[in-house]
Amino acid sequence: MVFTIIAALLILAGLVFFFGAAVGLLRFPDFYARMHAAGKGDTLSSLLVIAGFAVYQIGGVHDLSHDWPLLLVVLKLLAIVVFIYLTSPTSTSALADAGWEDGIDPIIEPGRENHLEDDLRPPQP
Amino acid sequence: MKAKIYASLAVVITGAVLLYAVTDFPNFGDPHSPANAGVKGGAPSASIYYIENTYRDTKVPNLVTAVLADYRGYDTMFETVVILTAGMAIFAILRVLRRDEDTEEAAPVDRSIDGDHHRIIVGITCRIAVPLIQIFALYVVAHGHHSPGGGFQGGVMLGASFILIALSGSLSDALARLGESSFIRLACIGIFIYAGFGFLPLLVDRNFLDYGALAGLLMTDGEEMARSHSMLGVEIGVAMTVMAVMFAIFANLSTRGRLQGGL
């Protein structure tokens, strides 16, 4: 029962972040802000939801000698968590990098343009 | 313009022939059609035979693999040949074998990712991911007759891992690991493995692709286990062909057939 409640809380938290990611993707003003919402929200919410699944599976283990296949499922879910943790931020980074090299300008607060030094951007053809 | 007219004619004629063939299809929901055979009141069916007898015949728990690689192995062999043909067509259309002076040695590619903040994140992640992808692909191939998977799926994953190397680093990185002569050879060897498993039973007066005849060669307990092991063998052949052709198509398409520079 405890495991079920923890799992439900984790999945609910994941859904909240999914909702935030979707709203951000639709409402944010420029490419980088939308990437930020999609990348971060998506990664964290996927991790939370899958971690919730794993906790739920652990809750089903009563007798280790009999229920060990459930632990294998937990291991597979944790492997998925690790792979999402590695690859999702990487693809977000690669996409943002591609946008930057393509010359997409972020929206910047007036007076703070100096943060974007020109040497970060490769010379435009 | 003329080419367009001929191409349109070919498309229209092919479409008309296909539409004409549609009239031979059974009616929707026809209990006597092959797809519905075996249901109550339907025709006798091959699928019922597969469902009831596959494990007894082949000792393979995954019916889909058994039907694909054993019962209908002839079909699958030529599906693999179709993939090889697609690769050969890409090669024939795109590959530039003439040595142009201006594209030759265009720019020596820097393989190091140290200090390049644009590539270091993607490069390191792919270095971690690619070996795991390849190990999982080998598992999918080897476990294809016990769980979902098989030669086509595992081969696609292997090919995708090489494409990932090419995308994250450079095409020359990937070609250093799987060069052009290697992937052409692998594609053909895969077909030869499959066809070899088909031809071996002919030597002992059995039918083409009748794997049960290989029981003595594979030193198995009975014909059933020989069929199971032969399925693994042909899946390995399929995986080799699919991997090689996937990567060959990517390498040729991304460089317009020059296999230099690229994305």
Side-chain angles (χ1 to χ4, degrees):
Chain A
M1 191 62 203
V2 180
F3 284 105
T4 313
I5 292 170
I6 295 174
L9 287 177
L10 280 171
I11 293 170
L12 271 177
L15 288 178
V16 168
F17 280 106
F18 256 128
F19 183 72
V23 171
L25 193 63
L26 291 171
R27 301 283 301 177
F28 276 175
D30 73 338
F31 174 75
Y32 299 101
R34 283 193 217 116
M35 281 304 305
H36 174 79
K40 286 202 167 156
D42 228 28
T43 310
L44 182 60
S45 47
S46 312
L47 295 188
L48 284 172
V49 169
I50 296 173
F53 294 164
V55 170
Y56 183 78
Q57 287 289 333
I58 292 172
V61 177
H62 300 298
D63 175 13
L64 207 56
S65 60
H66 192 254
D67 290 341
W68 58 268
L70 285 180
L71 285 184
L72 282 184
V73 175
V74 172
L75 273 181
K76 286 175 195 168
L77 287 168
L78 290 181
I80 295 173
V81 166
V82 170
F83 289 130
I84 290 179
Y85 180 71
L86 282 178
T87 55
S88 179
T90 307
S91 61
T92 309
S93 157
L95 202 51
D97 209 36
W100 179 252
E101 284 191 21
D102 208 36
I104 299 175
D105 283 320
I107 296 173
I108 304 165
E109 197 182 328
R112 299 193 63 184
E113 289 90 349
N114 289 338
H115 282 275
L116 287 174
E117 291 297 329
D118 279 338
D119 60 358
L120 277 175
R121 192 192 290 277
Q124 294 293 312
Chain B
M1 196 61 214
K2 231 172 203 174
K4 268 189 183 171
I5 294 173
Y6 287 135
S8 319
L9 265 180
V11 169
V12 168
I13 291 172
T14 313
V17 170
L18 286 175
L19 279 179
Y20 177 70
V22 166
T23 56
D24 284 344
F25 279 178
N27 288 329
F28 188 75
D30 181 5
H32 297 288
S33 69
N36 289 335
V39 299
K40 198 171 180 211
S45 147
S47 53
I48 297 293
Y49 177 84
Y50 295 144
I51 291 167
E52 286 174 350
N53 297 307
T54 296
Y55 191 74
R56 202 200 60 204
D57 285 351
T58 64
K59 294 271 187 291
V60 167
N62 186 352
L63 298 185
V64 178
T65 306
V67 171
L68 266 176
D70 188 318
Y71 293 112
R72 303 181 66 101
Y74 198 62
D75 188 16
T76 310
M77 188 176 94
F78 281 97
E79 273 172 28
T80 318
V81 174
V82 164
I83 290 173
L84 178 70
T85 313
M88 290 193 326
I90 291 278
F91 187 86
I93 294 169
L94 284 176
R95 183 77 177 101
V96 180
L97 293 171
R98 194 176 55 245
R99 284 171 176 270
D100 296 341
E101 292 301 319
D102 52 336
T103 56
E104 183 76 16
E105 298 297 325
V109 181
D110 180 18
R111 284 206 192 141
S112 160
I113 59 172
D114 300 329
D116 184 351
H117 66 275
H118 287 291
R119 283 172 59 194
I120 194 160
I121 299 172
V122 177
I124 294 288
T125 309
C126 291
R127 276 185 195 175
I128 298 169
V130 163
L132 295 169
I133 293 173
Q134 289 181 341
I135 288 173
F136 186 67
L138 292 178
Y139 164 80
V140 166
V141 173
H143 229 246
H145 44 307
H146 290 280
S147 59
F152 288 98
Q153 294 86 338
V156 165
M157 289 170 72
L158 281 171
S161 71
F162 284 105
I163 293 174
L164 187 60
I165 293 173
L167 284 176
S168 67
S170 64
L171 187 66
S172 57
D173 275 359
L175 283 172
R177 290 165 172 83
L178 185 68
E180 187 177 24
S181 60
S182 308
F183 64 62
I184 292 175
R185 245 174 246 156
L186 276 175
C188 297
I189 289 172
I191 300 283
F192 272 114
I193 289 175
Y194 202 138
F197 272 97
F199 273 111
L200 281 178
L202 289 180
L203 300 179
V204 288
D205 280 348
R206 296 278 288 266
N207 285 328
F208 188 68
L209 286 171
D210 187 356
Y211 307 136
L214 302 177
L217 184 70
L218 295 171
M219 292 182 287
T220 56
D221 287 346
E223 300 214 337
E224 297 85 7
M225 280 315 287
R227 290 173 80 165
S228 173
H229 291 332
S230 304
M231 269 183 239
L232 175 61
V234 302
E235 301 257 8
I236 290 169
V238 171
M240 285 166 80
T241 301
V242 171
M243 170 189 78
V245 171
M246 282 274 298
F247 183 60
I249 289 175
F250 169 80
N252 277 298
L253 279 180
S254 65
T255 60
R256 298 184 186 182
R258 291 197 162 77
L259 298 190
Q260 279 173 4
L263 297 171

